[in-house]
Amino acid sequence: MNATVNVNGRITPERDAVISVFDHGFLYGEGIYETMRTYHQRPFLFDRHMRRLRRSAWMIDLPLPFTDEELAAQIRDTQAAACVEGEAYIRVLVTRGIGELTYDPKATPNPSIIVIVKPQVDPAPEVYERGVRVVLVDIIRNHPQSVNPMIKSNNLMNSALAAQEAIKHGAFEGVMRNYHGELAECTTANLFIVKKGVVMTPPLEAGLLPGITREFLFDIGKEIGVDVREQVLRDEDLFGADEAFLTSTTRELVPIVTVNDRRIGNGRPGAVTWQLLNTFRRRANAD
Ligand SMILES: Cc1ncc(COP(=O)(O)O)c(C=O)c1O
């Protein structure tokens, strides 16, 4: 993997990165995280990631004992130790911390703060040139009154089970529905379709992670005069789309050309997807 890890300020190679089995992140999956990547060695959209991290923390009642600048400094130190040539993948995790075997947060006064830095691995060029196949999976996205999908939570069993289904089918990603049967998002990415030039993605109310790439795409759309909007979507909207794509920090925009072995549009990455991807890359590399 070739990662460098910062555990509560102690930076080590991955083999020496350890955390207590009494950390409630391990015991109960109680923690939150962010995944960022660099362009020109600088974390892209850092402020937006910090905003989401703070909202996730607030939603699980976890006080974050650092300022944005302090965390940025920890990330910089870890990057410096990692000496990644090219771009870096950065994962920040904050768990409830170490304490007695109880759900009572008073048992864990000090959150654990972990920063993982490793080389960013881009998807192969064919992924963008040819597009990918996804499948609709049976596992549904968490109900918002369960572990709310708005929380970027370390508690990822539901997503792992959904991803396992997609992996069994040899698909690039799995698309999850919500408890109403509407489309929500992929297991590690947001979902978009294009119909008659309009770009649509399920609304946050459908129960999904507010992706930073998703959010940035609304700005990109405005910049180039493409209508990007939220819209409740169902299976038939995806099957009947002219184009579809998924978004995530580490994969940017990936064209979807097949869903459950049914072709989307003409079966090739579409013009609107390309236009958005090219503009996204231009902005990311310019910032
Ligand atoms: C469930 C889920 N949805 C969407 C995304 C995409 O979010 P972002 O664009 O912030 O990477 C992710 C990223 O890991 C994810 O796990």
Side-chain angles (χ1 to χ4, degrees):
M1 201 193 323
N2 200 13
T4 299
V5 187
N6 179 331
V7 181
N8 294 321
R10 181 171 174 264
I11 302 175
T12 68
E14 67 183 60
R15 64 177 173 276
D16 301 320
V18 288
I19 191 130
S20 165
V21 293
F22 292 102
D23 193 292
H24 286 205
F26 174 75
L27 284 171
Y28 308 131
E30 271 200 87
I32 53 167
Y33 75 105
E34 278 299 318
T35 301
M36 304 175 217
R37 62 152 289 179
T38 63
Y39 290 87
H40 303 299
Q41 274 77 48
R42 284 196 308 275
F44 183 51
L45 302 176
F46 178 77
D47 293 348
R48 296 188 195 216
H49 282 283
M50 285 309 299
R51 207 184 331 119
R52 186 171 63 185
L53 185 73
R54 290 195 184 281
R55 187 177 47 217
S56 295
W58 173 75
M59 289 180 80
I60 67 163
D61 220 352
L62 174 68
L64 293 184
F66 49 75
T67 63
D68 290 8
E69 293 69 30
E70 284 165 345
L71 185 64
Q74 290 290 335
I75 292 173
R76 270 198 305 278
D77 291 350
T78 316
Q79 270 185 272
C83 293
V84 170
E85 280 175 32
E87 302 301 347
Y89 165 104
I90 301 163
R91 194 175 180 109
V92 174
L93 302 99
V94 187
T95 74
R96 187 75 72 188
I98 299 165
E100 262 305 328
L101 294 160
T102 164
Y103 290 143
D104 186 346
K106 286 201 282 298
T108 46
N110 303 307
S112 302
I113 303 153
I114 294 112
V115 179
I116 301 173
V117 173
K118 63 189 185 83
Q120 157 69 15
V121 180
D122 293 328
E126 305 87 78
V127 163
Y128 299 99
E129 286 154 15
R130 293 200 207 131
V132 298
R133 179 172 151 262
V134 303
V135 289
L136 287 155
V137 296
D138 292 332
I139 295 277
I140 62 166
R141 191 68 171 110
N142 306 56
H143 190 291
Q145 280 171 291
S146 169
V147 179
N148 192 326
M150 293 279 284
I151 305 166
K152 196 163 171 66
S153 159
N154 287 344
N155 195 319
L156 288 165
M157 181 67 93
N158 196 67
S159 308
L161 292 176
Q164 279 175 27
E165 252 189 270
I167 292 163
K168 270 186 207 138
H169 288 98
F172 185 84
E173 256 287 8
V175 177
M176 285 182 281
R177 305 178 186 91
N178 64 15
Y179 68 103
H180 291 304
E182 301 154 358
L183 299 177
E185 61 177 331
C186 301
T187 67
T188 59
N190 290 112
L191 176 72
F192 288 77
I193 67 164
V194 184
K195 188 74 184 175
K196 295 190 170 59
V198 179
V199 179
M200 289 170 272
T201 191
L204 296 182
E205 295 72 38
L208 48 100
L209 183 79
I212 301 299
T213 320
R214 173 189 184 277
E215 182 185 291
F216 194 57
L217 224 59
F218 287 92
D219 299 356
I220 299 276
K222 277 204 196 81
E223 184 184 319
I224 60 174
V226 171
D227 185 356
V228 182
R229 59 169 90 147
E230 289 189 328
Q231 173 74 47
V232 171
L233 299 176
R234 298 188 173 78
D235 292 10
E236 55 272 26
D237 298 309
L238 179 56
F239 288 121
D242 300 329
E243 302 176 29
F245 61 90
L246 56 86
T247 62
S248 86
T249 294
T250 53
R251 290 167 298 179
E252 303 174 324
L253 279 71
V254 171
I256 296 170
V257 292
T258 311
V259 181
N260 288 8
D261 296 324
R262 283 167 67 172
R263 210 169 69 173
I264 302 302
N266 65 8
R268 289 196 299 273
V272 178
T273 306
W274 269 114
Q275 200 188 357
L276 292 168
L277 175 60
N278 288 334
T279 312
F280 177 91
R281 285 182 171 161
R282 195 163 29 77
R283 284 288 302 275
N285 282 294
D287 270 17

